[in-house]
Amino acid sequence: MPLPWEALIPFGLVTVMFGATGTLLKTSKQSQNQGKPVRYHIDTWDETMMERDRRLTGHIRGQRSDPVPPEGFETSSIWATEVAK
């Protein structure tokens, strides 16, 4: 059975377009995560740590190496508290 050469052009175009869109999507997601890979299967602990990182650095993927928190970190808790009267 002969190979239909006319079908190779659309097949090549579709393959290139899927490859290009997948690469652009991965690049976009990675640039939004400060160059780090995308996180999958995030549980409650991961969400808590990402919220803590956001309060420390301003971005959910940022981390700090110095042990001193920024000003206002102790009062920027995610837990709701009552105001003392």
Side-chain angles (χ1 to χ4, degrees):
M1 181 168 176
L3 181 65
W5 296 102
E6 307 86 34
L8 291 180
I9 293 174
F11 179 74
L13 287 173
V14 168
T15 303
V16 167
M17 293 310 291
F18 272 112
T21 55
T23 302
L24 289 173
L25 181 65
K26 181 181 185 283
T27 304
S28 171
K29 286 186 175 238
Q30 201 166 14
S31 68
Q32 292 173 10
N33 284 319
Q34 296 179 339
K36 298 172 184 155
V38 180
R39 290 179 175 167
Y40 296 104
H41 307 295
I42 297 173
D43 59 1
T44 307
W45 175 259
D46 293 330
E47 289 175 355
T48 304
M49 291 295 104
M50 288 178 355
E51 177 60 27
R52 182 203 56 151
D53 291 341
R54 187 195 59 76
R55 290 188 296 124
L56 274 172
T57 63
H59 194 274
I60 62 171
R61 293 303 297 261
Q63 295 179 350
R64 293 176 66 123
S65 60
D66 56 340
V68 180
E71 287 294 323
F73 180 73
E74 62 275 355
T75 59
S76 67
S77 176
I78 60 174
W79 298 101
T81 59
E82 294 181 14
V83 178
K85 293 182 181 180

